[in-house]
Amino acid sequence: MTALPPSDLLRPGQAPPAPSKSSLTSFLNRLQPTPETVVLLLAVFIGTSTGMGIVTFHYLIHLIHTLMLEDVMGIISPAGPWTLACIPALGGAVVGLMRWHRPDFGPGISALIAATQGLRELLPLRPVTKMVAASVSLGTGASLGPEGPSVEIGANFGMLLGEVLQVSRERQRLLLGAGAAAGLAAGFNAPIAGVFFALEVVLGTTFATSAVSVVLLAAVVAALIAQIGLGSQPAFTLPMYEVRSPLELPLYLGLGLLAAGVSIAFTETIQFARRCFRGEVALVRWLGRIPRPIHPAIGGVAVGLVALQWPQILGIGYETVEAMLQDVEFSLPLLVALLVVKLGITAFCQGSGLVGGVFAPAMFLGASLGSAYGKVLAANLPAIAPHIAAPPAYAMVGMAAVLAGTAKAPLTAILLLFELTRDYRIVLPLMAAVGLAAWLVEGSKVRHDSELNPEQMGFNVAPDRNVEILQQMSVAEAMHESWVMLKDTQSVLEAGLALTQGRSYSALVFDSTDRLIGIVSLQDIERAIALGKRPGSPLVESDSGAVPWMEQAIAEICTREVLYAYPDELLSEALDRMAARGLRQLPVVDPDDPHRVLGLLDREGISLAGNVAAVSEALAFYVLLSNATSSRELSQGDRAA
């Protein structure tokens, strides 16, 4: 085997060298600014850098679009209309060359979040590379959107700042959220939606006032920079919403139902396209044998060929969306065709490796769906046609509903459309359709890809290779065989001391025959303490009469309706049960005797099992290489002897 350089080796017992602090960190440490000052400086810096990055990104898209679809097309178009297909193909070839030179364009938003949680190593940040690749893809007509790259540009700036300042993981995730908010705020000129996107998707449900302050300031500064560089107009102009009748609200629920179906189909089609290009689908296994740098060119050719029949699918598609919203005449068959074709070609672009986001395509799909839905209502319900809003109203609501179902961010979708329309009358139908669509998608067991919410199941596991590994594991591989065990007759005080001393979130409660009867958690103990502290209630009622709260048996407060896991079932099935109820742990029991506990499955153990399996899989190649090298050296030694 090739030996590592001496500088890369550590002697037994020698600690690894401490990372050297940057000059900026040392400078800030000498100044000793107040936390409020640090928050202000970080927010302004992230917002400014992200805003300037987004302005540059949009100028690049416009420049490449003008150069290719106007100048170059003006030269080659006399050869025939088929020349339109050459432009996306050329763009795909350029992106393929970039992937050949640098296969990885940098981590996505989900990988960045996983890095701040310590679940994976932070890959090299390449915001400029991704920005150029996305500009080429979108400028030459790829059926994707600029918002995903915009969010990732901002998130990369936030992570770079965290790396320079060498902050804690918690602060690093805060800077990541501020950058993501700034990116979306600048991309849509919608700072409120940007803030809620960061709080809803990046930071999750755990954020403090200081976090909101950083995210707010970064979003405002980025939106201001974008307004200076790109103009104060929103991404596209929406018409005034028209209220015909409050009785129309159930019709918007029907639109929400259809939007959920489109969102699920969109997500599943993207996943299917990616599997096709990885060679995991039997009928197109040959795609996986084609070198990866050629995939974007294939995607570009497909976009160009489809655009010969439906040119509306080219590029970001805001012009077509705006035409639908302004009630430009689109026939019902054309709207349905655009819905199906845009969904398929966007998934093909994503699978082939072209760079862009799904926000704009999701809104295109929603506008097509809503407009078609409005036309169907008007044609089939002539009696109540005067009380039904025009198709553009349904198109606006459909945009938000499909976006919410696709991105798993209903609050962001509601606020985004509210910011774009600035009309309060749209809020009720908007909330109805978006809420129903998001709820239906949430309950559909669809697993979203890396651009979407990485905490949809409530677990700190990034949706990358680790999730694939976890879904193939059994419960027995992830459970551990140590847990806190309590008797049902023990008091609340004894249970509380056992949990705190054992630093455990919960304990299993057994009866006198060692049969599992329930689970008691720290929250149960806290509730018992809170009840005991109420004035005039030093005693609580129990089976043995009124006793002090601290002497109450834990059988009185434990959760007796326990969900179980079984050692031979798939871990993914246990994860579904935990996610549905928001549980932190499940007892693993004998299938033949559910009162006999074999182990405990908890979130920390699941994350650890996924990481261990992923690292073991990565090391397997090097273990085989080491064994082969050792065998070869041994064989050579035998021959020499």
Side-chain angles (χ1 to χ4, degrees):
M1 292 181 65
T2 303
L4 291 172
S7 59
D8 293 337
L9 297 176
L10 293 175
R11 291 186 296 273
Q14 179 185 355
S20 58
K21 289 192 175 182
S22 66
S23 56
L24 178 59
T25 306
S26 302
F27 176 72
L28 289 176
N29 288 339
R30 284 197 299 270
L31 284 181
Q32 294 184 348
T34 63
E36 292 78 12
T37 304
V38 173
V39 165
L40 177 63
L41 291 175
L42 294 180
V44 171
F45 182 83
I46 292 174
T48 302
S49 56
T50 301
M52 295 174 65
I54 300 307
V55 170
T56 304
F57 178 45
H58 279 265
Y59 272 122
L60 273 176
I61 295 174
H62 178 71
L63 176 65
I64 295 172
H65 181 274
T66 302
L67 176 65
M68 300 302 295
L69 287 171
E70 294 181 14
D71 298 344
V72 174
M73 272 302 297
I75 297 173
I76 65 175
S77 58
W82 61 269
T83 54
L84 178 63
C86 297
I87 303 301
L90 181 59
V94 172
V95 174
L97 287 174
M98 294 180 66
R99 286 202 180 275
W100 175 73
H101 176 67
R102 179 161 285 176
D104 186 10
F105 289 162
I109 186 69
S110 177
L112 291 173
I113 295 175
T116 62
Q117 295 174 335
L119 298 178
R120 63 183 298 175
E121 184 180 353
L122 179 61
L123 299 174
L125 300 172
R126 299 190 177 103
V128 176
T129 304
K130 182 166 285 188
M131 180 174 68
V132 173
S135 301
V136 173
S137 299
L138 298 173
T140 55
S143 179
L144 297 167
E147 295 77 23
S150 297
V151 169
E152 290 178 0
I153 289 170
N156 272 269
F157 278 125
M159 289 295 287
L160 282 172
L161 183 59
E163 288 286 297
V164 170
L165 297 179
Q166 298 177 358
V167 298
S168 65
R169 283 179 181 170
E170 182 180 353
R171 181 58 59 89
Q172 202 172 42
R173 189 171 185 185
L174 172 57
L175 298 181
L176 172 66
L184 190 66
F188 272 114
N189 192 15
I192 299 176
V195 169
F196 273 84
F197 174 78
L199 300 181
E200 190 174 24
V201 175
V202 180
L203 298 178
T205 57
T206 57
F207 53 85
T209 304
S210 60
V212 178
S213 301
V214 175
V215 171
L216 279 171
L217 289 170
V220 168
V221 173
L224 179 61
I225 298 294
Q227 287 181 11
I228 295 172
L230 303 174
S232 59
Q233 71 279 3
F236 38 76
T237 305
L238 300 184
M240 293 294 292
Y241 177 72
E242 185 180 8
V243 179
R244 296 282 181 91
S245 170
L247 300 178
E248 196 180 4
L249 190 61
L251 299 178
Y252 287 102
L253 292 176
L255 178 58
L257 178 64
L258 293 175
V262 170
S263 301
I264 295 171
F266 188 33
T267 303
E268 288 293 284
T269 307
I270 290 175
Q271 296 287 7
F272 178 75
R274 288 179 172 170
R275 290 196 300 272
C276 287
F277 277 94
R278 290 198 298 262
E280 298 174 2
V281 177
L283 294 178
V284 288
R285 205 174 297 278
W286 54 271
L287 274 176
R289 295 191 290 269
I290 297 176
R292 190 183 176 199
I294 300 179
H295 290 176
I298 297 174
V301 170
V303 172
L305 293 176
V306 172
L308 295 178
Q309 178 66 32
W310 293 283
Q312 297 92 341
I313 61 95
L314 271 177
I316 301 171
Y318 281 167
E319 298 84 359
T320 304
V321 171
E322 201 159 339
M324 294 177 187
L325 297 173
Q326 300 300 334
D327 209 11
V328 174
E329 188 59 36
F330 281 85
S331 66
L332 182 60
L334 177 59
L335 288 171
V336 174
L338 289 178
L339 174 65
V340 175
V341 172
K342 182 73 172 180
L343 188 151
I345 201 63
T346 301
F348 200 83
C349 289
Q350 280 277 337
S352 68
L354 292 168
V355 183
V358 297
F359 267 50
M363 290 191 291
F364 187 107
L365 297 177
S368 303
L369 173 68
S371 186
Y373 183 75
K375 289 182 180 293
V376 169
L377 289 180
N380 291 277
L381 300 173
I384 61 172
H387 305 288
I388 298 177
Y394 289 96
M396 285 190 288
V397 175
M399 285 168 58
V402 174
L403 177 60
T406 302
K408 292 283 288 180
L411 291 178
T412 301
I414 291 172
L415 288 167
L416 176 61
L417 206 73
F418 182 55
E419 271 193 283
L420 293 176
T421 59
R422 298 168 188 175
D423 189 343
Y424 185 75
R425 294 174 296 176
I426 198 174
V427 168
L428 278 181
L430 193 62
M431 292 175 65
V434 166
L436 180 61
W439 178 72
L440 290 173
V441 172
E442 179 70 27
S444 67
K445 294 187 179 181
V446 173
R447 297 293 176 257
H448 294 266
D449 66 325
S450 60
E451 283 198 53
L452 312 181
N453 190 346
E455 295 183 331
Q456 58 188 315
M457 295 191 303
F459 294 94
N460 294 327
V461 178
D464 55 5
R465 178 59 182 156
N466 287 19
V467 169
E468 297 179 18
I469 292 173
L470 288 178
Q471 290 177 345
Q472 298 168 6
M473 294 174 64
S474 68
V475 168
E477 295 176 86
M479 74 178 189
H480 55 85
E481 299 178 1
S482 60
W483 59 85
V484 179
M485 176 178 175
L486 298 173
K487 292 293 186 181
D488 58 350
T489 55
Q490 288 183 265
S491 67
V492 171
L493 178 61
E494 291 173 326
L497 291 174
L499 290 175
T500 54
Q501 292 172 0
R503 302 183 66 83
S504 177
Y505 179 80
S506 63
L508 302 182
V509 181
F510 296 81
D511 62 13
S512 57
T513 61
D514 290 336
R515 294 168 63 86
L516 178 67
I517 64 168
I519 294 181
V520 63
S521 67
L522 287 173
Q523 289 183 340
D524 297 325
I525 304 297
E526 288 172 349
R527 280 194 291 267
I529 293 173
L531 289 173
K533 286 183 177 179
R534 287 183 181 178
S537 60
L539 302 177
V540 294
E541 292 295 330
S542 69
D543 293 340
S544 57
V547 297
W549 67 267
M550 67 180 64
E551 297 179 9
Q552 184 183 13
I554 57 172
E556 304 288 337
I557 65 169
C558 72
T559 302
R560 289 179 174 269
E561 296 180 2
V562 182
L563 293 180
Y564 303 113
Y566 302 102
D568 55 348
E569 72 173 325
L570 288 175
L571 185 58
S572 58
E573 298 176 4
L575 284 173
D576 288 337
R577 290 201 293 279
M578 294 174 72
R581 294 275 295 272
L583 301 176
R584 297 181 62 92
Q585 69 286 304
L586 285 179
V588 182
V589 300
D590 187 337
D592 299 324
D593 183 5
H595 294 285
R596 179 170 172 262
V597 179
L598 303 177
L600 188 67
L601 186 69
D602 58 20
R603 295 185 181 185
E604 291 75 15
I606 292 170
S607 298
L608 177 61
N611 290 334
V612 168
V615 173
S616 299
E617 184 182 82
L619 291 176
F621 169 77
Y622 298 99
V623 171
L624 291 174
L625 180 63
S626 175
N627 293 337
T629 304
S630 299
S631 300
R632 187 166 56 251
E633 291 174 350
L634 182 60
S635 176
Q636 291 173 352
D638 291 340
R639 285 198 299 269

